[in-house]
């Protein structure tokens, strides 16, 4: 599949319904670590782009410094699932942080996100860190018949 628009509706519906994703990273020895977080997503120039407001923990920072590839997995007991394989990059730009703060507030896609003010005082809070998540592959699985659709970024 070459156009993300072919799976965009299902992607947004499932993520908006499921909300929480398991983020997996690996250490320098290839050992995985998973944590449950809430990234947000938008479509820019026809391709998905994600953002994660998070704490820059030593484990997460070390893993991403050694290997910026990460996967976000969503699943519901109805068997709907989304897997998003990304390259993650820390972003320190305050304007980007303000934009991400607003995306979380209004929820993106609809149903996902939350008020970041529950954890940080403002976009300028030094404890707030933002990861830019550039997907290179997205898989959407419909639970009723396990129909799978995969989008891959042209590289």
């Amino acid at each position: 599949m070459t156009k993300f628009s072919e799976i965009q509706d299902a992607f947004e519906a499932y993520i908006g319904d499921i909300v929480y994703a398991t983020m997996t990273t690996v250490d320098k020895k290839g050992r995985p670590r998973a944590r449950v977080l809430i990234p947000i997503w938008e479509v820019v120039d026809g391709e998905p782009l994600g953002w994660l407001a998070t704490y820059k923990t030593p484990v997460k920072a070390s893993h991403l410094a050694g290997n910026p590839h990460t996967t976000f997995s969503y699943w519901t007991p109805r068997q709907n699932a989304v897997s998003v394989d990304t390259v993650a990059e820390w972003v320190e730009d305050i304007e980007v942080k303000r934009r991400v703060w607003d995306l979380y507030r209004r929820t993106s896609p609809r149903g996902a996100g939350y008020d970041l003010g529950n954890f940080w005082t403002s976009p300028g809070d030094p404890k707030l860190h933002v990861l830019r998540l550039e997907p290179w592959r997205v898989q959407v699985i419909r639970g009723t018949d396990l129909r799978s659709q995969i989008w891959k970024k042209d590289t």
Side-chain angles (χ1 to χ4, degrees), residues 82-94:
V82 178
S83 293
V84 187
D85 299 322
T86 74
V87 176
E89 176 184 9
W90 296 105
V91 177
E92 298 300 329
D93 182 88
I94 189 64

Side-chain angles (χ1 to χ4, degrees), residues 114-136:
Y114 58 95
D115 181 0
L116 296 182
N118 294 330
F119 298 92
W120 299 282
T121 59
S122 70
D125 187 325
K127 292 181 182 177
L128 169 64
H129 295 277
V130 170
L131 280 170
R132 181 181 191 275
L133 309 170
E134 186 168 334
W136 58 273

Side-chain angles (χ1 to χ4, degrees), residues 14 20 151:
Y14 293 172
Y20 291 90
W151 168 85

Side-chain angles (χ1 to χ4, degrees), residues 1 3 7 31 37 50 63 101 107 113 127 129 153:
M1 178 171 307
K3 293 184 180 180
I7 63 169
R31 299 173 296 196
L37 300 165
H63 284 200
W101 186 279
T107 77
K127 292 181 182 177
H129 295 277
K153 183 177 184 125

Side-chain angles (χ1 to χ4, degrees), residues 135-149:
W136 58 273
R137 179 175 51 205
V138 175
Q139 181 179 19
V140 176
I141 301 171
R142 183 173 58 197
T144 55
D145 58 7
L146 300 182
R147 178 178 178 227
S148 175
Q149 295 180 290

Side-chain angles (χ1 to χ4, degrees), residues 53-130:
T54 188
Y55 293 97
K56 195 172 187 177
T57 64
V59 171
K60 195 182 305 154
S62 174
H63 284 200
L64 293 174
N67 182 348
H69 291 87
T70 182
T71 294
F72 290 85
S73 299
Y74 295 83
W75 176 84
T76 179
R78 292 183 302 283
Q79 303 306 326
N80 293 334
V82 178
S83 293
V84 187
D85 299 322
T86 74
V87 176
E89 176 184 9
W90 296 105
V91 177
E92 298 300 329
D93 182 88
I94 189 64
E95 291 307 315
V96 171
K97 287 183 175 185
R98 284 188 184 111
R99 188 167 170 284
V100 168
W101 186 279
D102 290 338
L103 282 171
Y104 267 94
R105 180 178 296 135
R106 69 174 190 242
T107 77
S108 180
R110 187 171 178 233
Y114 58 95
D115 181 0
L116 296 182
N118 294 330
F119 298 92
W120 299 282
T121 59
S122 70
D125 187 325
K127 292 181 182 177
L128 169 64
H129 295 277
V130 170

